[in-house]
Amino acid sequence: MNLKSTYTIFLTLLMAFVASCSDNAPESERPQENLEELPQASFRVNALGVSSAAQSGPQECIKSLRVIIINSDGLIEANEKTEWSSSPKGAATFSHIFSKSLNSKSKDLYLIANEESIGDFSLTDSEDLPSLPSSSLSDLLDYFRKETAAENSGMGDVFGKVLNRIYFENDLSNLSAGNMIYLPYSAHYKLEANDLGLSGLTHPLYLVPVASKIDFSFVSYRSHDTRIEDVSLNNANVHNYLNAQLANDETLKPFNDKMIWWIDWLQECAKNSETAEDIEDFNEKWGWIQHYSLPLSNDASVKSLKPSSEVWKIDRMADKNNPDRKSFGPFYIPESKSSSYELNFEVTDLATNETTFLEGYEIDTMMSLFRATHVKIFIELYEKAMDIYSEVVPWNEKVFIGYVQEDDD
C-alpha cells in the first residue's frame, strides 16, 4: 500500500543558544539571537510512494508548496512558497529542498500545498483580527510576510489564528470529472523548544490531503449487460477547515504504547495496514479519527454529492466462475461526518431496459470520514437483487480486503 499523495518532509534543526545569556537576567538585557548567524534548518521534500499497487489519480500531484514557521514570540520566521505551475510534480518525481535560519524558540510549522485550488474562503471568527485581503487565499497568505512580521512580532500570532480559522466549501466534483484542479493538502505541527536541541534532530512530517477518497467495485452475476448511473451520496458536509481541527490534535491512540502526533498516527495506520490480515480487526484495534470539528453544522452545509457523472457499463457474466469485475475511481469527497450517509444509484438491464433505483442505502462505515481516509464500496449484482459492502482503509489502499463472494452450490 502506498501513500502516494502524502509527502514526507524531513526537518533538520541545528540550534545554538547564546552562551552568555543568563537565565536570571531580565528579558530586555538578554542578547538577541541573530538569525543570520544561526545554522540553517533544511527541509527535504520527497514523495512517499512505496508500493506500485497504490491507486492515485493525477489530481493528487503537487503544483505548489508553502512552508510557514511561526515561533512562540509571534515572529514569522518563514513564509515561503515554491511553485511548479508548468509541470506539477507527481509522486515519483517530486523532490524539493527548503532551508531557513531559525531561532531556538518553540515553533508552529504549517504546510500548505495546492492553495490555488481553493476558491472562495472564510474565517470562522474575524472580530479580533485586522482587515485582511480576501480576494484569494494566496493573497491572504502572502500578506503575512516575514518582513511585515519583523516590524510587529505579534503579527505571527494573528497569522496563526488565521491559519486555524480558514474554511472553504470543498467542491471536489471538478477533480472527479477529470479536470486538472489539484487536491489541496495541509499539515500543522507544534515543535517544542526541547526538540530543537544542540545536537539537531530530523523530524519526518507528512502533508495530509484535505479530502477523503471513494471508489466502487462491481461484480456481476447477471446474464445481461448492466448500466450504472446517477451515483450520489446524501448528507455530506461540504465545508472543511484548511487545517484539521481535532478535539485533541497533538496526540492520538497509541501504537506500541506510545502516544504519537495525529499525522504520524495516520502514517502508522498506513504502514500497519500493509500487513493486516483482516482490515476489520485492524480498524477495531486502531480505530479511525472521529472527534474532529467541521466549520459549519447548519442545513446549508449538507449536500448531496455526485462522485461521478459518468455512466458505467458492467458486462454480463461469461460463466459461473468468471463474473465481470469492474472498478471505478478514485473519486474525491470532502472530509465529513454524518449520522447516516446514503448511497443512491440506478441500475438498468440493457437487454430489457428494466431500471432499478437504489435510494437511501445507509452506509454505516462512512459515519466518520476524516481527511486521508479511503472508502471502498463493493457491490455484487444478481439477477433480481444486489449486495453492498463497504470498508474504510488508509489513503491510497487499492486492494479490497475481505468480502469474498462464495459460489452457490
Side-chain angles (χ1 to χ4, degrees):
M1 197 217 45
N2 176 16
L3 295 182
K4 206 168 185 180
S5 61
T6 306
Y7 292 79
T8 306
I9 300 180
F10 295 99
L11 169 62
T12 305
L13 297 169
L14 299 175
M15 297 298 175
F17 289 98
V18 179
S20 60
C21 176
S22 169
D23 289 339
N24 296 322
E27 184 71 28
S28 59
E29 297 178 6
R30 296 179 185 178
Q32 299 299 309
E33 291 174 313
N34 186 342
L35 290 179
E36 295 181 356
E37 297 177 357
L38 290 173
Q40 287 195 330
S42 296
F43 304 75
R44 180 177 293 274
V45 185
N46 292 310
L48 185 61
V50 295
S51 170
S52 60
Q55 186 178 18
S56 175
Q59 297 88 350
E60 297 175 29
C61 292
I62 294 293
K63 180 181 179 181
S64 67
L65 173 66
R66 185 184 294 266
V67 179
I68 299 167
I69 302 173
I70 305 172
N71 74 21
S72 57
D73 285 342
L75 177 68
I76 301 172
E77 298 186 32
N79 180 8
E80 302 294 337
K81 180 182 178 183
T82 304
E83 298 186 69
W84 301 271
S85 299
S86 59
S87 56
K89 303 300 181 181
T93 58
F94 186 73
S95 181
H96 175 63
I97 296 176
F98 173 86
S99 298
K100 205 68 176 178
S101 295
L102 302 173
N103 66 26
S104 58
K105 304 292 184 179
S106 299
K107 319 287 180 189
D108 280 275
L109 187 148
Y110 296 86
L111 308 169
I112 302 171
N114 297 339
E115 62 192 54
E116 305 81 8
S117 296
I118 298 175
D120 294 337
F121 66 92
S122 301
L123 301 176
T124 51
D125 183 11
S126 60
E127 292 182 357
D128 59 340
L129 300 176
S131 177
L132 298 169
S134 59
S135 55
S136 72
L137 180 60
S138 292
D139 286 344
L140 174 64
L141 299 176
D142 284 338
Y143 175 78
F144 292 93
R145 307 302 300 178
K146 179 185 173 183
E147 291 75 18
T148 303
E151 300 172 1
N152 179 2
S153 62
M155 203 63 170
D157 296 331
V158 176
F159 199 9
K161 291 178 181 179
V162 168
L163 290 168
N164 287 308
R165 296 179 187 179
I166 295 171
Y167 74 93
F168 60 102
E169 184 169 344
N170 203 359
D171 182 4
L172 299 169
S173 59
N174 286 326
L175 277 76
S176 297
N179 297 321
M180 287 299 98
I181 299 175
Y182 299 98
L183 195 67
Y185 298 79
S186 71
H188 173 205
Y189 282 91
K190 291 182 182 294
L191 301 179
E192 299 302 328
N194 57 5
D195 291 333
L196 313 178
L198 296 173
S199 61
L201 295 172
T202 299
H203 298 271
L205 308 176
Y206 306 98
L207 270 173
V208 179
V210 188
S212 295
K213 185 153 54 174
I214 187 171
D215 53 30
F216 298 82
S217 182
F218 291 85
V219 175
S220 177
Y221 294 90
R222 295 188 169 192
S223 56
H224 300 149
D225 294 347
T226 303
R227 182 176 68 236
I228 308 292
E229 57 189 324
D230 288 337
V231 180
S232 64
L233 287 170
N234 294 343
N235 302 329
N237 295 89
V238 295
H239 291 88
N240 288 168
Y241 283 105
L242 174 60
N243 283 293
Q245 303 294 313
L246 274 69
N248 182 354
D249 63 355
E250 295 188 14
T251 57
L252 201 70
K253 209 161 188 170
F255 275 84
N256 300 322
D257 297 323
K258 179 183 179 182
M259 297 302 291
I260 59 175
W261 185 262
W262 70 266
I263 303 176
D264 297 320
W265 177 88
L266 287 179
Q267 174 64 4
E268 290 295 322
C269 280
K271 289 164 53 180
N272 283 269
S273 69
E274 293 182 25
T275 57
E277 296 182 1
D278 189 317
I279 195 67
E280 289 184 337
D281 288 345
F282 172 82
N283 288 350
E284 183 177 352
K285 181 178 181 181
W286 299 117
W288 293 101
I289 298 175
Q290 297 187 31
H291 302 294
Y292 57 94
S293 298
L294 296 175
L296 298 177
S297 59
N298 54 42
D299 292 340
S301 68
V302 179
K303 293 186 178 181
S304 177
L305 302 175
K306 289 183 69 66
S308 174
S309 58
E310 300 173 349
V311 175
W312 304 336
K313 182 175 178 291
I314 314 298
D315 296 334
R316 68 182 179 86
M317 182 175 64
D319 59 68
K320 184 177 181 180
N321 297 318
N322 188 28
D324 186 40
R325 299 175 184 271
K326 291 283 179 63
S327 294
F328 301 93
F331 308 109
Y332 304 94
I333 58 178
E335 169 188 55
S336 187
K337 55 184 176 181
S338 170
S339 58
S340 59
Y341 280 89
E342 295 177 348
L343 175 65
N344 314 288
F345 60 83
E346 296 181 10
V347 182
T348 301
D349 186 311
L350 294 182
T352 66
N353 277 332
E354 179 181 351
T355 297
T356 302
F357 298 91
L358 179 77
E359 294 181 301
Y361 180 87
E362 293 190 7
I363 305 178
D364 293 338
T365 55
M366 292 175 62
M367 290 179 63
S368 180
L369 288 186
F370 185 67
R371 59 189 65 190
T373 50
H374 192 167
V375 183
K376 301 289 189 176
I377 297 180
F378 185 81
I379 302 169
E380 296 173 346
L381 300 173
Y382 301 97
E383 295 293 357
K384 298 295 182 181
M386 69 182 77
D387 286 336
I388 302 176
Y389 313 96
S390 64
E391 58 191 22
V392 180
V393 298
W395 185 260
N396 274 342
E397 178 64 61
K398 180 178 181 181
V399 179
F400 281 87
I401 305 174
Y403 304 125
V404 177
Q405 172 65 32
E406 298 291 341
D407 291 335
D408 295 332
D409 293 332

